[in-house]
Amino acid sequence: MTVDDANAGDGTEPSANPAHEPPTYPTPHHEVDHTAEPSDDPLAIRLEQLILGADRRYTPFQAARTAGVSMELASRFWRAMGFADIGQAKALTEADVLALRRLAGLVEAGLLSEPMAVQVARSTGQTTARLAEWQIDSFLEGLTEPPEPGMTRTEVTYPLVELLLPELEEFLIYVWRRQLAAATGRVLVQAADDEEMVDRRLAVGFADLVGFTRLTRRLEEEELGELVEAFETTCADLVAAHGGRLIKTLGDEVLYCADDPGTASEIALRLIETLGHDETMPALRVGIAFGTVTTRMGDVFGTTVNLASRLTSIAPKDAVLVDGALAAELSRTGDAPASEAEAAEEAARAEKEGRQAATYRFALQPMWQRPVRGLGVVEPWLLTRRPT
C-alpha cells in the first residue's frame, strides 16, 4: 500500500487523525543512528541551504507522498544513500523529492529493477560520502583558517563555500562523465558476451605496507595520517599512469586491477621501486593473481581476488609474488621467458649467429609450493624486472 492510499488528503501536511498517521518502518539498530536529528545551528542551516539550494520543507513522509513513492521504498533509497533516519523532522527539500521521483521513475519505466535502483543509490552514496568527507577534512579545513586575528572560522567558511561550490560541482560532473566513458568503453569493447560484462578475466594486485600495525604505535596521529595519504596518493598515481584501475584503499593496503598481466606486473614493480626510494615508507610487498573476477558496484570479488590477497601475505619484503596463471600468461605474451635456462641458451645462439636475441620485460622464478588457507596448495612465482 502506498502512502497516498494511507492518507487521501490533498495538501502536503499529513492528516491529524491518528488513524492516518504515516506508517513507521523499524530499522535495524546497526544500520543507522536513530537519534540523528537535523542540526539547528544557524550557520549549519545557512550552509545547508547554500549547498542544497533550497530550504527545509518536507518531512520524510511528505517528501515520499509528494514524489508519489511509498514510504517503505523512500526509506530504502534514503538509507541506501547513507543517510540516517530523522523521524518526521521537517528537513527535506525539493531536491530530495526530485531524487525520489527519478529513482522511482527509472523503476516504473523498466530501465532499472527495484534492487538495482537501490544499488545505484548505495554505490553513489558511498562514493560521494567519502569524497565529501575528504574535501571537508583535507581541503576546507586548511582553507578556512582565519586569515586575520579576531575572525572566526565560521565567518570565513560561508563565502568560501559559496565561491567553491559551483566550480567543484562542475568538476565532479566532468570527472564522473570521463570515468563513465572509460568504464563503458572498457567493458563493452572487451566483453565478448553478456556474461563477461560481470565475470571477466583480470589481473588483480594487492600492495601492502609491511609492519604497519607496529608503526601505528610509534607515530603520532598526524604523522600516521600523512604517511597513509602519501602512500595512497603514490599508489593511485602509479596505477592510473600505467593503465590500471585503483579499486580501493584500506589505509596500509591498496587493491588494483588491470586488463592484462603485463600491465599489472609493471605497476607492481613500479610501486616497489618508487616507494623503496622513500625513506619514510615501510617496506612493501605485492601479490598478483590472474583469472575470472566478479565485479559489483566498482569492487571485485572471487577466488582470484582472494588468491592475490594470500600471495601478498606471504610475499617477502619489497618483492612481488604472482600465481601460476599470471606467470603462464606473461610467458604466452612474450613478457617473460618460459624458462630462464632456455632464454640464456637462445641468447648465446643469437650472439653466435650475429642476430638479435628475444628481449623480455620480466623474469620469473618459481618458489616453493605451499598450502594457502582456503585455496589449497599454490606455487607462487617471484616476479622481477630483467636487466636491460
mmCIF file of all heavy atoms in Angstrom, residues 29-54:
data_model
loop_
_atom_site.group_PDB
_atom_site.id
_atom_site.type_symbol
_atom_site.label_atom_id
_atom_site.label_comp_id
_atom_site.label_asym_id
_atom_site.label_seq_id
_atom_site.Cartn_x
_atom_site.Cartn_y
_atom_site.Cartn_z
ATOM 1 N N HIS A 29 19.183 -1.594 14.398
ATOM 2 C CA HIS A 29 19.938 -0.554 15.089
ATOM 3 C C HIS A 29 21.339 -0.384 14.533
ATOM 4 O O HIS A 29 21.949 0.667 14.695
ATOM 5 C CB HIS A 29 20.020 -0.889 16.582
ATOM 6 C CG HIS A 29 20.891 -2.079 16.883
ATOM 7 N ND1 HIS A 29 20.438 -3.361 16.791
ATOM 8 C CD2 HIS A 29 22.191 -2.156 17.263
ATOM 9 C CE1 HIS A 29 21.415 -4.200 17.121
ATOM 10 N NE2 HIS A 29 22.488 -3.498 17.392
ATOM 11 N N HIS A 30 21.878 -1.405 13.850
ATOM 12 C CA HIS A 30 23.239 -1.292 13.362
ATOM 13 C C HIS A 30 23.325 -0.531 12.049
ATOM 14 O O HIS A 30 24.413 -0.203 11.601
ATOM 15 C CB HIS A 30 23.846 -2.685 13.164
ATOM 16 C CG HIS A 30 23.115 -3.512 12.151
ATOM 17 N ND1 HIS A 30 22.000 -4.238 12.477
ATOM 18 C CD2 HIS A 30 23.326 -3.699 10.828
ATOM 19 C CE1 HIS A 30 21.560 -4.873 11.393
ATOM 20 N NE2 HIS A 30 22.344 -4.558 10.388
ATOM 21 N N GLU A 31 22.200 -0.232 11.407
ATOM 22 C CA GLU A 31 22.241 0.437 10.108
ATOM 23 C C GLU A 31 22.323 1.949 10.228
ATOM 24 O O GLU A 31 23.037 2.603 9.490
ATOM 25 C CB GLU A 31 21.014 0.068 9.268
ATOM 26 C CG GLU A 31 21.029 -1.369 8.778
ATOM 27 C CD GLU A 31 19.930 -1.629 7.784
ATOM 28 O OE1 GLU A 31 19.349 -0.654 7.268
ATOM 29 O OE2 GLU A 31 19.632 -2.790 7.530
ATOM 30 N N VAL A 32 21.552 2.533 11.121
ATOM 31 C CA VAL A 32 21.512 3.975 11.221
ATOM 32 C C VAL A 32 21.457 4.400 12.675
ATOM 33 O O VAL A 32 21.163 3.613 13.563
ATOM 34 C CB VAL A 32 20.275 4.574 10.496
ATOM 35 C CG1 VAL A 32 20.324 4.299 9.017
ATOM 36 C CG2 VAL A 32 18.982 4.027 11.089
ATOM 37 N N ASP A 33 21.738 5.669 12.899
ATOM 38 C CA ASP A 33 21.642 6.251 14.229
ATOM 39 C C ASP A 33 20.257 6.840 14.381
ATOM 40 O O ASP A 33 19.940 7.871 13.814
ATOM 41 C CB ASP A 33 22.723 7.333 14.384
ATOM 42 C CG ASP A 33 22.632 8.037 15.729
ATOM 43 O OD1 ASP A 33 21.837 7.586 16.570
ATOM 44 O OD2 ASP A 33 23.355 9.032 15.907
ATOM 45 N N HIS A 34 19.411 6.188 15.192
ATOM 46 C CA HIS A 34 18.035 6.648 15.327
ATOM 47 C C HIS A 34 17.934 7.962 16.102
ATOM 48 O O HIS A 34 16.886 8.590 16.119
ATOM 49 C CB HIS A 34 17.190 5.582 16.027
ATOM 50 C CG HIS A 34 16.899 4.415 15.147
ATOM 51 N ND1 HIS A 34 15.866 4.391 14.255
ATOM 52 C CD2 HIS A 34 17.543 3.231 15.006
ATOM 53 C CE1 HIS A 34 15.851 3.237 13.615
ATOM 54 N NE2 HIS A 34 16.855 2.525 14.047
ATOM 55 N N THR A 35 19.019 8.382 16.753
ATOM 56 C CA THR A 35 18.979 9.633 17.489
ATOM 57 C C THR A 35 19.352 10.818 16.609
ATOM 58 O O THR A 35 19.330 11.951 17.052
ATOM 59 C CB THR A 35 19.957 9.586 18.676
ATOM 60 O OG1 THR A 35 21.303 9.497 18.176
ATOM 61 C CG2 THR A 35 19.667 8.386 19.569
ATOM 62 N N ALA A 36 19.744 10.544 15.358
ATOM 63 C CA ALA A 36 20.192 11.627 14.489
ATOM 64 C C ALA A 36 19.062 12.605 14.212
ATOM 65 O O ALA A 36 17.956 12.214 13.858
ATOM 66 C CB ALA A 36 20.713 11.053 13.172
ATOM 67 N N GLU A 37 19.348 13.889 14.394
ATOM 68 C CA GLU A 37 18.369 14.930 14.117
ATOM 69 C C GLU A 37 19.041 16.012 13.285
ATOM 70 O O GLU A 37 20.243 16.253 13.418
ATOM 71 C CB GLU A 37 17.854 15.551 15.431
ATOM 72 C CG GLU A 37 16.979 14.619 16.261
ATOM 73 C CD GLU A 37 15.617 14.380 15.633
ATOM 74 O OE1 GLU A 37 15.212 15.182 14.778
ATOM 75 O OE2 GLU A 37 14.971 13.381 15.990
ATOM 76 N N PRO A 38 18.303 16.687 12.417
ATOM 77 C CA PRO A 38 18.877 17.781 11.654
ATOM 78 C C PRO A 38 19.403 18.856 12.600
ATOM 79 O O PRO A 38 18.804 19.148 13.628
ATOM 80 C CB PRO A 38 17.696 18.295 10.823
ATOM 81 C CG PRO A 38 16.722 17.175 10.805
ATOM 82 C CD PRO A 38 16.888 16.458 12.111
ATOM 83 N N SER A 39 20.529 19.439 12.233
ATOM 84 C CA SER A 39 21.132 20.463 13.083
ATOM 85 C C SER A 39 20.272 21.719 13.107
ATOM 86 O O SER A 39 19.677 22.105 12.104
ATOM 87 C CB SER A 39 22.531 20.807 12.560
ATOM 88 O OG SER A 39 23.055 21.915 13.246
ATOM 89 N N ASP A 40 20.218 22.364 14.291
ATOM 90 C CA ASP A 40 19.512 23.636 14.428
ATOM 91 C C ASP A 40 20.482 24.801 14.529
ATOM 92 O O ASP A 40 20.065 25.930 14.770
ATOM 93 C CB ASP A 40 18.619 23.608 15.681
ATOM 94 C CG ASP A 40 17.448 22.641 15.510
ATOM 95 O OD1 ASP A 40 16.945 22.530 14.378
ATOM 96 O OD2 ASP A 40 17.072 21.999 16.506
ATOM 97 N N ASP A 41 21.778 24.524 14.361
ATOM 98 C CA ASP A 41 22.763 25.597 14.420
ATOM 99 C C ASP A 41 22.534 26.558 13.245
ATOM 100 O O ASP A 41 22.441 26.117 12.094
ATOM 101 C CB ASP A 41 24.174 25.005 14.336
ATOM 102 C CG ASP A 41 25.242 26.087 14.360
ATOM 103 O OD1 ASP A 41 25.541 26.572 15.467
ATOM 104 O OD2 ASP A 41 25.743 26.445 13.281
ATOM 105 N N PRO A 42 22.440 27.863 13.509
ATOM 106 C CA PRO A 42 22.122 28.822 12.431
ATOM 107 C C PRO A 42 23.110 28.769 11.272
ATOM 108 O O PRO A 42 22.701 28.812 10.108
ATOM 109 C CB PRO A 42 22.167 30.171 13.158
ATOM 110 C CG PRO A 42 21.888 29.852 14.588
ATOM 111 C CD PRO A 42 22.499 28.511 14.829
ATOM 112 N N LEU A 43 24.413 28.693 11.562
ATOM 113 C CA LEU A 43 25.387 28.637 10.476
ATOM 114 C C LEU A 43 25.249 27.344 9.688
ATOM 115 O O LEU A 43 25.316 27.344 8.455
ATOM 116 C CB LEU A 43 26.810 28.757 11.028
ATOM 117 C CG LEU A 43 27.913 28.613 9.961
ATOM 118 C CD1 LEU A 43 27.842 29.754 8.957
ATOM 119 C CD2 LEU A 43 29.291 28.540 10.599
ATOM 120 N N ALA A 44 25.041 26.215 10.404
ATOM 121 C CA ALA A 44 24.878 24.933 9.718
ATOM 122 C C ALA A 44 23.671 24.973 8.788
ATOM 123 O O ALA A 44 23.711 24.456 7.664
ATOM 124 C CB ALA A 44 24.724 23.809 10.739
ATOM 125 N N ILE A 45 22.589 25.605 9.253
ATOM 126 C CA ILE A 45 21.392 25.710 8.410
ATOM 127 C C ILE A 45 21.670 26.578 7.195
ATOM 128 O O ILE A 45 21.262 26.256 6.069
ATOM 129 C CB ILE A 45 20.213 26.267 9.235
ATOM 130 C CG1 ILE A 45 19.793 25.255 10.307
ATOM 131 C CG2 ILE A 45 19.025 26.591 8.325
ATOM 132 C CD1 ILE A 45 18.722 25.757 11.238
ATOM 133 N N ARG A 46 22.377 27.707 7.388
ATOM 134 C CA ARG A 46 22.700 28.583 6.259
ATOM 135 C C ARG A 46 23.576 27.860 5.244
ATOM 136 O O ARG A 46 23.362 27.974 4.030
ATOM 137 C CB ARG A 46 23.411 29.846 6.753
ATOM 138 C CG ARG A 46 22.526 30.854 7.470
ATOM 139 C CD ARG A 46 23.328 32.086 7.845
ATOM 140 N NE ARG A 46 23.820 32.764 6.649
ATOM 141 C CZ ARG A 46 25.009 33.381 6.570
ATOM 142 N NH1 ARG A 46 25.832 33.364 7.606
ATOM 143 N NH2 ARG A 46 25.364 33.987 5.454
ATOM 144 N N LEU A 47 24.576 27.119 5.738
ATOM 145 C CA LEU A 47 25.447 26.372 4.831
ATOM 146 C C LEU A 47 24.664 25.279 4.105
ATOM 147 O O LEU A 47 24.875 25.039 2.911
ATOM 148 C CB LEU A 47 26.609 25.747 5.610
ATOM 149 C CG LEU A 47 27.734 26.701 6.008
ATOM 150 C CD1 LEU A 47 28.689 26.018 6.972
ATOM 151 C CD2 LEU A 47 28.491 27.188 4.781
ATOM 152 N N GLU A 48 23.783 24.600 4.818
ATOM 153 C CA GLU A 48 22.957 23.572 4.196
ATOM 154 C C GLU A 48 22.095 24.169 3.084
ATOM 155 O O GLU A 48 21.995 23.611 1.989
ATOM 156 C CB GLU A 48 22.076 22.915 5.247
ATOM 157 C CG GLU A 48 21.149 21.844 4.692
ATOM 158 C CD GLU A 48 20.149 21.361 5.718
ATOM 159 O OE1 GLU A 48 20.535 20.556 6.578
ATOM 160 O OE2 GLU A 48 18.984 21.824 5.650
ATOM 161 N N GLN A 49 21.481 25.316 3.344
ATOM 162 C CA GLN A 49 20.643 25.973 2.337
ATOM 163 C C GLN A 49 21.475 26.390 1.126
ATOM 164 O O GLN A 49 21.040 26.273 -0.021
ATOM 165 C CB GLN A 49 19.941 27.183 2.949
ATOM 166 C CG GLN A 49 18.866 26.826 3.967
ATOM 167 C CD GLN A 49 18.334 28.043 4.702
ATOM 168 O OE1 GLN A 49 18.967 29.098 4.727
ATOM 169 N NE2 GLN A 49 17.159 27.900 5.310
ATOM 170 N N LEU A 50 22.696 26.864 1.401
ATOM 171 C CA LEU A 50 23.586 27.257 0.297
ATOM 172 C C LEU A 50 23.950 26.050 -0.554
ATOM 173 O O LEU A 50 23.889 26.100 -1.795
ATOM 174 C CB LEU A 50 24.848 27.901 0.873
ATOM 175 C CG LEU A 50 25.981 28.200 -0.130
ATOM 176 C CD1 LEU A 50 25.525 29.229 -1.153
ATOM 177 C CD2 LEU A 50 27.225 28.679 0.600
ATOM 178 N N ILE A 51 24.330 24.939 0.101
ATOM 179 C CA ILE A 51 24.789 23.759 -0.638
ATOM 180 C C ILE A 51 23.642 23.069 -1.355
ATOM 181 O O ILE A 51 23.767 22.664 -2.521
ATOM 182 C CB ILE A 51 25.501 22.797 0.326
ATOM 183 C CG1 ILE A 51 26.781 23.437 0.854
ATOM 184 C CG2 ILE A 51 25.819 21.469 -0.369
ATOM 185 C CD1 ILE A 51 27.444 22.668 1.983
ATOM 186 N N LEU A 52 22.514 22.930 -0.692
ATOM 187 C CA LEU A 52 21.374 22.237 -1.297
ATOM 188 C C LEU A 52 20.572 23.132 -2.219
ATOM 189 O O LEU A 52 19.804 22.651 -3.054
ATOM 190 C CB LEU A 52 20.458 21.667 -0.204
ATOM 191 C CG LEU A 52 21.082 20.615 0.716
ATOM 192 C CD1 LEU A 52 20.059 20.147 1.742
ATOM 193 C CD2 LEU A 52 21.612 19.436 -0.087
ATOM 194 N N GLY A 53 20.716 24.441 -2.055
ATOM 195 C CA GLY A 53 19.999 25.369 -2.918
ATOM 196 C C GLY A 53 18.517 25.438 -2.642
ATOM 197 O O GLY A 53 17.741 25.831 -3.520
ATOM 198 N N ALA A 54 18.087 25.042 -1.426
ATOM 199 C CA ALA A 54 16.665 25.065 -1.087
ATOM 200 C C ALA A 54 16.503 25.024 0.419
ATOM 201 O O ALA A 54 17.407 24.613 1.155
ATOM 202 C CB ALA A 54 15.939 23.873 -1.724
#
